């Protein structure tokens, strides 16, 4: 390209930024190497269009530098597509997102690999922008999207973790759930919120540890004859310092997901990691680290890794093929010793040379110490101390002054199936790190317990037909007490009703005893069986030891939980009544608890309310093991109304306890005065559908749900949740009478 041609290209680019002249020749040289003449024209026209948007020189520079590679990979049609996309974005309030948009394109092109996929990616970005860009009066968009810049900044990382389909689901989740909360939307697309990470985890690809935990546990037991607790960690969120596998007294830590790599399946990568860790547990012993330098410690770890792998391959030769496929192959002359610290490079080459007989390295030090390693192992099983001496000799022979440089060579030096070797070291004196960890540990151990930690429950999203994982935080506790005499007065008020209930209870209460025969231990001797056993004994035969019998009631075997809606609406006085719904509920619950105590059924009472998904309160009023007494009466007397009605999580938690009871029939009664709702939910169908899903879940677990609703308009929604399993009490003043009768009808 001569000066005349360069000048012609410069004239076609209608952009007057003075900084452009300094870089234009280099950009054109790169573009001419990969673009056709038509592509060059589109390239310059696109840059001219971006220059006209009025966002300064930097977007123009990024376009000129990055788009030739994008066009080479995806086709020259992308030049115009991207320029038009930038122009379209500049016509919205989202001008600040233009630069991160352009910067995200090269990595997006590399990961997506086709123009069709890139087109879908652009559609995804603009769909998200349109759905999250706000307006004040509802006509013209005036408020920029809070989450768009954060999304674009994280695109390289997200596409490295997710398929395009997974990215679309992840973005859609954030848009739908945070449309009117800018701060939470920004946190979600910045990967700062727990929801963002949970959905990212759900959409990730690869072989999941959770799906293969049992197989891996059996692998350890069968081949290595060890049983270890396997603890997964996520590699998805720490880019600066990637976590590494390790093991300690609490178990083996390993990644929660593995992709296929170098032709090795994800499940086999797990097996390679576990085989390496098991070899360490079998053959490694801890040595004191205090007398070794950092470089010596690194070398000892590499030699010890090679030693235990050598021993493992002697027992299971097939491991060599697996480990060779996963072990990196650093290029011999790739590290510049005058400019970089090459110690990791040398050690990784040596590790590869020990593992792979056909390594092809020519470095004399690598060849000599690989040979010395094999000669040492051929003499017999060497221990960690003996291999440490060989490692120290290698460091002494190969150390360079440049090893101290801060610019460390890392390319192809990470053997990701190996652990971090923390188990190899013990210390005479604690260093700063150990002391810091000990302080933190003691702080945690002595911290006062402030209550039970929250339980996290999923919530059903009917629009996507998926669960929102760990969406609701439920806090449970014992309901504070009040004055038990208050409940006694309520029961005295309804003494006539209690008398009628007692007559019904006497008919339902199990009266007859049934003998249970052939028991080795029982309450009395079964004479017929005892005589037969004595005859057998006298005649030389083995007598039957089951000569006792016991008795049981021939009647009800039922467990019941009454779940009370304690939301703010209970404080209202319904038309035609002089009492609040809360007071009527207290009377009804008191009568019901008294009645069930007479029957002897397994019975619990709990109340719930919610203040957003982050605070669902579940309060135990009566436990299954508690009898009707002063403590239970005191909690009923102290019941108060407040907050909202997030019903699904409360039902799941009640089902958690009810499902653990041993009973032929399990019944969950829900007493409520309205439809499920909460202050952080705008879609009124969302919590209705979640409660409906919770009913289905409980039904699958053998728990029968029934709703008693005090809302006169309940017919509009209660059937959607409970099907035919509900009753609407129109005259709420009769609740104290109706609730016990309804229970007896359901369980009689």
């Amino acid at each position: 390209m001569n000066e005349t041609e360069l000048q012609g290209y410069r004239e076609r680019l209608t952009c007057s930024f003075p900084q452009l002249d300094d870089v234009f020749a280099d950009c054109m040289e790169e573009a001419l190497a990969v673009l056709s003449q038509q592509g060059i024209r589109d390239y310059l026209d696109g840059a001219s269009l971006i220059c006209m948007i009025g966002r300064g020189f930097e977007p123009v520079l990024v376009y000129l530098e990055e788009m030739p590679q994008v066009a080479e990979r995806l086709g020259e049609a992308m030049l115009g597509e991207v320029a038009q996309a930038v122009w379209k974005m500049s016509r919205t309030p989202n001008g600040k997102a233009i630069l991160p948009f352009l910067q995200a394109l090269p990595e997006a092109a590399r990961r997506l690999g086709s123009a069709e996929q890139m087109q879908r990616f652009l559609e995804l970005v603009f769909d998200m922008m349109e759905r999250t860009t706000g307006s004040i009066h509802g006509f013209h968009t005036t408020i920029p999207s809070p989450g768009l810049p954060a999304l674009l900044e994280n695109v390289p990382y997200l596409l490295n973790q997710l398929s395009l389909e997974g990215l679309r689901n992840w973005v859609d989740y954030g848009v739908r759930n945070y449309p009117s909360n800018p701060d939470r939307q920004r946190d979600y697309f910045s990967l700062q919120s727990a929801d963002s990470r949970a959905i990212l985890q759900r959409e990730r690809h690869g072989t999941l540890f959770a799906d293969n935990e049992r197989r891996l546990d059996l692998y350890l037991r069968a081949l290595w004859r060890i049983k270890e607790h396997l603890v997964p960690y996520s590699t998805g969120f720490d880019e600066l310092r990637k976590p590494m596998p390790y093991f300690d007294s609490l178990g083996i830590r390993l990644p929660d997901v593995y992709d296929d790599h170098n032709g090795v399946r994800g499940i086999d990568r797990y097996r390679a990691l576990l085989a390496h860790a098991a070899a360490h547990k079998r053959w490694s012993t801890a040595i004191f680290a205090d007398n070794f330098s950092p470089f010596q410690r690194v070398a000892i770890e590499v030699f010890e890794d090679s030693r235990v792998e050598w021993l493992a391959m002697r027992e299971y030769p097939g491991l060599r093929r697996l480990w060779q496929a996963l072990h990196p192959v650093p290029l011999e002359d790739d590290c510049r010793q005058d400019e970089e610290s090459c110690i990791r490079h040398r050690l990784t080459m040596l590790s590869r040379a020990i593992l792979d007989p056909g390594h092809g390295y020519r470095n004399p030090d690598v060849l000599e110490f690989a040979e010395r390693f094999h000669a040492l192992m051929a003499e017999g099983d060497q221990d960690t101390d003996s291999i440490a001496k060989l490692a120290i000799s290698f460091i002494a022979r190969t150390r360079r002054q440049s090893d101290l440089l801060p610019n460390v060579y890392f390319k192809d030096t990470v053997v990701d199936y190996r652990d971090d070797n923390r188990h190899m070291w013990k210390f005479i004196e604690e260093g700063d790190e150990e002391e810091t960890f000990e302080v933190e540990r003691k702080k945690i151990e002595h911290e006062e317990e402030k209550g039970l930690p929250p339980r996290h429950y999923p919530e059903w999203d009917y629009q996507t037909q998926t669960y929102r994982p760990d969406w609701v935080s439920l806090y449970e506790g014992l309901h504070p007490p009040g004055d038990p005499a208050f409940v006694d007065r309520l029961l005295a008020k309804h003494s006539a009703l209690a008398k009628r209930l007692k007559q019904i209870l006497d008919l339902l209460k199990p009266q007859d005893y049934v003998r249970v025969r052939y028991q080795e231990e029982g309450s009395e001797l079964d004479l017929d069986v005892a005589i037969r056993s004595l005859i057998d004994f006298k005649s030389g035969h083995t007598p039957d030891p089951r000569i006792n019998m016991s008795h049981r009631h021939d009647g009800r075997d039922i467990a019941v939980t009454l779940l009370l809606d304690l939301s703010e609406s209970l404080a209202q006085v319904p038309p035609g009544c002089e009492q609040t719904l809360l007071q009527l509920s207290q009377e009804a619950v008191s009568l019901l608890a008294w009645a069930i105590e007479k029957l002897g059924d397994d019975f619990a009472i709990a109340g719930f309310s919610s203040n957003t998904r982050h605070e669902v309160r579940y309060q135990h009023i009566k436990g299954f093991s508690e009898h009707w007494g002063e403590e239970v009466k005191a909690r009923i007397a102290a019941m108060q109304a407040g907050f909202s009605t997030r019903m699904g999580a409360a039902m799941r938690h009640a089902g958690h306890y009810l499902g653990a009871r041993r009973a032929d029939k399990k019944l969950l009664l829900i007493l409520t005065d309205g439809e499920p709702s909460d202050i952080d939910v705008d879609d009124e169908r969302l919590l209705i559908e979640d409660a409906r899903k919770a009913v289905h879940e409980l039904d699958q677990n053998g728990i029968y749900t029934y709703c008693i609703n005090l809302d006169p308009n309940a017919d509009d929604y209660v059937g959607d949740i409970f099907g035919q399993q509900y009753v609407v009490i129109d005259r709420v003043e009769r609740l104290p009478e109706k609730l016990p009768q309804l229970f007896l009808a359901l369980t009689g």
Side-chain angles (χ1 to χ4, degrees):
M1 179 178 61
N2 56 41
E3 289 293 331
T4 305
E5 291 175 335
L6 181 62
Q7 184 62 31
Y9 293 136
R10 181 65 184 86
E11 291 174 358
R12 187 177 182 92
L13 177 55
T14 56
C15 190
S16 58
F17 289 113
Q19 304 99 309
L20 185 58
D21 296 330
D22 298 332
V23 298
F24 184 71
D26 293 335
C27 292
M28 284 307 304
E29 184 176 350
E30 185 176 357
L32 287 167
V34 296
L35 299 179
S36 66
Q37 283 301 313
Q38 180 60 44
I40 290 293
R41 288 191 289 271
D42 293 341
Y43 172 65
L44 296 174
D45 291 344
S48 300
L49 184 62
I50 292 176
C51 190
M52 289 189 291
I53 66 175
R55 285 286 166 180
F57 172 64
E58 199 165 1
V60 182
L61 177 63
V62 174
Y63 181 90
L64 290 172
E65 289 181 338
E66 304 294 354
M67 284 310 296
Q69 286 74 30
V70 174
E72 181 185 21
R73 189 179 296 273
L74 303 182
E76 294 179 353
M78 292 309 304
L79 296 165
E81 291 277 356
V82 169
Q84 289 297 325
V86 172
W87 176 262
K88 181 180 177 181
M89 191 176 291
S90 71
R91 302 299 94 187
T92 73
N94 296 288
K96 291 184 177 179
I98 290 174
L99 186 59
F101 171 71
L102 288 169
Q103 291 170 334
L105 291 177
E107 181 64 16
R110 189 181 72 82
R111 296 292 303 181
L112 297 175
S114 71
E116 181 183 5
Q117 288 284 82
M118 177 60 84
Q119 188 62 44
R120 291 178 179 173
F121 170 73
L122 295 177
E123 292 171 358
L124 186 155
V125 169
F126 277 87
D127 176 68
M128 183 268 185
M129 181 184 74
E130 291 169 5
R131 293 167 66 188
T132 56
T133 301
S135 80
I136 296 176
H137 301 294
F139 298 104
H140 303 290
T141 54
T142 53
I143 304 172
S145 167
L148 182 60
L151 168 65
L152 294 171
E153 289 169 3
N154 284 297
V155 158
Y157 171 73
L158 290 168
L159 287 177
N160 195 48
Q161 301 294 319
L162 304 174
S163 63
L164 191 59
E165 177 72 11
L167 178 63
R168 183 187 64 80
N169 295 337
W170 183 80
V171 169
D172 185 63
Y173 185 94
V175 172
R176 284 188 299 99
N177 288 288
Y178 302 108
S180 56
N181 193 316
D183 291 335
R184 289 189 178 178
Q185 185 185 125
R186 194 176 296 109
D187 288 344
Y188 181 90
F189 288 106
S190 300
L191 291 169
Q192 298 300 311
S193 68
D195 307 330
S196 173
R197 296 183 176 196
I199 299 302
L200 177 66
Q201 197 76 347
R202 187 184 75 186
E203 297 295 339
R204 289 180 71 192
H205 47 78
T207 301
L208 295 177
F209 168 78
D211 297 336
N212 296 278
E213 181 176 6
R214 179 171 173 78
R215 295 172 65 186
L216 297 174
D217 182 59
L218 291 174
Y219 170 77
L220 277 179
R221 294 192 193 189
L223 269 68
W224 297 99
R225 296 177 292 281
I226 62 173
K227 185 180 185 306
E228 284 290 334
H229 185 45
L230 303 180
V231 185
Y233 62 80
S234 176
T235 59
F237 310 117
D238 196 339
E239 283 291 282
L240 279 178
R241 187 175 181 179
K242 282 285 188 183
M244 292 181 64
Y246 70 92
F247 64 85
D248 55 19
S249 59
L250 300 178
I252 300 176
R253 270 65 169 183
L254 67 176
D256 60 347
V257 62
Y258 261 145
D259 291 325
D260 295 353
H261 179 67
N262 281 354
V264 179
R265 298 179 305 157
I267 186 65
D268 289 330
R269 294 183 67 187
Y270 277 118
R271 290 174 178 141
L273 187 159
L274 291 176
H276 181 85
H280 270 303
K281 291 185 73 67
R282 181 176 293 185
W283 291 299
S284 288
T285 54
I287 59 177
F288 285 105
D290 301 77
N291 293 327
F292 298 119
S293 71
F295 285 164
Q296 289 173 336
R297 286 170 61 178
V298 171
I300 292 170
E301 290 178 359
V302 171
F303 274 81
E304 179 68 0
D305 285 337
S306 296
R307 183 183 77 88
V308 298
E309 287 179 6
W310 189 92
L311 294 171
M313 289 184 293
R314 186 179 63 178
E315 189 164 337
Y316 300 112
L319 286 172
R320 182 183 299 276
R321 176 191 57 80
L322 182 59
W323 281 333
Q324 281 184 2
L326 295 173
H327 196 293
V329 185
L331 299 177
E332 184 166 1
D333 300 320
D334 204 40
C335 184
R336 303 182 300 274
Q337 294 191 12
D338 295 337
E339 303 175 14
E340 299 173 294
S341 173
C342 296
I343 185 170
R344 288 179 61 91
H345 179 256
R346 292 195 302 275
L347 286 169
T348 309
M349 284 199 303
L350 175 63
S351 174
R352 180 73 195 192
I354 293 172
L355 179 64
D356 180 10
H359 54 81
Y361 292 128
R362 303 181 305 276
N363 185 299
D365 295 324
V366 170
L367 296 175
E368 177 188 343
F369 276 86
E371 184 178 347
R372 289 175 61 180
F373 173 89
H374 287 294
L376 183 65
M377 296 303 295
E379 294 175 3
D381 294 350
Q382 304 297 320
D383 60 13
T384 306
D385 284 313
S386 60
I387 208 70
K389 297 175 182 177
L390 185 61
I392 294 171
S393 299
F394 179 79
I395 286 295
R397 173 76 65 83
T398 64
R399 186 171 180 181
R400 307 284 188 271
Q401 185 64 32
S402 60
D403 289 344
L404 298 173
L405 292 174
N407 184 22
V408 180
Y409 181 92
F410 280 99
K411 182 181 178 182
D412 291 331
T413 63
V414 177
V415 187
D416 60 6
Y417 68 81
R418 291 179 176 175
D419 59 275
D420 67 0
N421 288 315
R422 66 180 64 188
H423 60 277
M424 283 182 55
W425 306 108
K426 51 187 178 181
F427 298 86
I428 300 173
E429 296 183 1
E430 291 183 341
D432 294 339
E433 296 85 358
E434 291 82 7
E435 291 174 355
T436 301
F437 295 151
E438 184 68 15
V439 169
E440 289 298 321
R441 185 178 65 80
K442 290 180 179 178
K443 179 180 177 182
I444 293 171
E445 286 178 353
H446 290 89
E447 188 175 2
E448 285 191 3
E449 190 70 43
K450 299 192 181 292
L452 291 174
R455 287 184 66 95
H456 298 289
Y457 285 98
E459 193 166 86
W460 180 251
D461 187 338
Y462 73 100
Q463 292 181 337
T464 62
Q465 295 294 296
T466 59
Y467 283 102
R468 299 171 172 178
D470 294 339
W471 184 255
V472 178
S473 299
L474 183 143
Y475 295 83
E476 62 179 319
L478 196 62
H479 198 292
D483 181 10
F486 173 78
V487 174
D488 291 332
R489 291 193 294 271
L490 294 179
L491 293 175
K493 174 183 173 181
H494 294 281
S495 58
L497 176 59
K499 186 175 181 180
R500 294 200 306 272
L501 287 174
K502 187 176 185 303
Q503 295 173 350
I504 301 174
L505 295 173
D506 289 339
L507 297 175
L508 290 175
K509 188 174 181 179
Q511 300 291 333
D512 297 329
Y513 278 98
V514 176
R515 290 188 302 170
V516 182
R517 305 183 69 186
Y518 299 103
Q519 304 289 306
E520 290 191 14
E521 296 181 1
S523 58
E524 59 183 275
L525 187 69
D526 190 338
L527 191 59
D528 292 340
V529 179
I531 292 173
R532 281 202 302 270
S533 295
L534 181 60
I535 294 171
D536 290 339
F537 178 75
K538 294 289 187 179
S539 61
H541 296 89
T542 303
D544 189 344
R546 301 173 299 166
I547 61 174
N548 294 303
M549 64 180 177
S550 59
H551 298 84
R552 64 173 175 83
H553 283 293
D554 183 19
R556 304 158 62 90
D557 185 12
I558 185 171
V560 183
T561 294
L562 176 61
L563 186 60
L564 306 175
D565 170 10
L566 298 180
S567 60
E568 182 66 33
S569 55
L570 281 185
Q572 299 175 359
V573 178
C577 292
E578 297 180 355
Q579 295 173 284
T580 65
L581 290 173
L582 177 63
Q583 292 169 332
L584 291 169
S585 298
Q586 287 173 308
E587 294 179 2
V589 171
S590 299
L591 280 167
L592 179 62
W594 171 82
I596 296 177
E597 180 73 12
K598 295 291 184 183
L599 283 172
D601 290 339
D602 211 10
F603 180 55
I605 308 173
F608 75 95
S609 59
S610 64
N611 182 24
T612 77
R613 68 183 180 88
H614 300 290
E615 187 182 353
V616 176
R617 293 290 175 180
Y618 187 97
Q619 296 177 304
H620 295 276
I621 297 172
K622 178 188 179 299
F624 285 108
S625 60
E626 288 185 290
H627 290 287
W628 175 252
E630 296 300 304
E631 292 184 352
V632 176
K633 292 178 183 178
R635 295 178 201 133
I636 293 176
M639 284 166 44
Q640 293 183 338
F643 303 114
S644 303
T645 314
R646 208 173 199 110
M647 188 180 292
M651 291 170 63
R652 291 183 177 96
H653 195 60
H656 165 72
Y657 287 111
L658 188 55
R661 308 305 297 177
R662 294 183 177 179
D664 292 339
K665 185 176 182 181
K666 299 172 184 178
L667 173 64
L668 176 61
L669 293 175
I670 299 98
L671 177 61
T672 181
D673 70 322
E675 64 181 309
S677 63
D678 211 338
I679 59 173
D680 61 344
V681 176
D682 296 326
D683 184 354
E684 62 180 19
R685 291 296 307 177
L686 184 66
L687 296 184
I688 292 176
E689 294 294 335
D690 176 60
R692 178 173 176 267
K693 192 69 173 179
V695 170
H696 290 174
E697 294 167 13
L698 294 170
D699 183 61
Q700 291 174 350
N701 292 327
I703 297 174
Y704 183 82
T705 56
Y706 198 89
C707 176
I708 303 100
N709 202 303
L710 309 180
D711 181 6
N713 300 316
D715 291 325
D716 296 338
Y717 59 85
V718 69
D720 294 340
I721 300 174
F722 295 95
Q724 300 298 317
Q725 300 162 204
Y726 72 92
V727 64
V728 178
I729 297 181
D730 296 319
R731 296 181 60 186
V732 294
E733 69 274 8
R734 297 188 62 189
L735 177 64
E737 175 186 353
K738 290 289 187 182
L739 184 60
Q741 291 176 352
L742 178 63
F743 170 78
L744 297 175
L746 288 171
T747 61

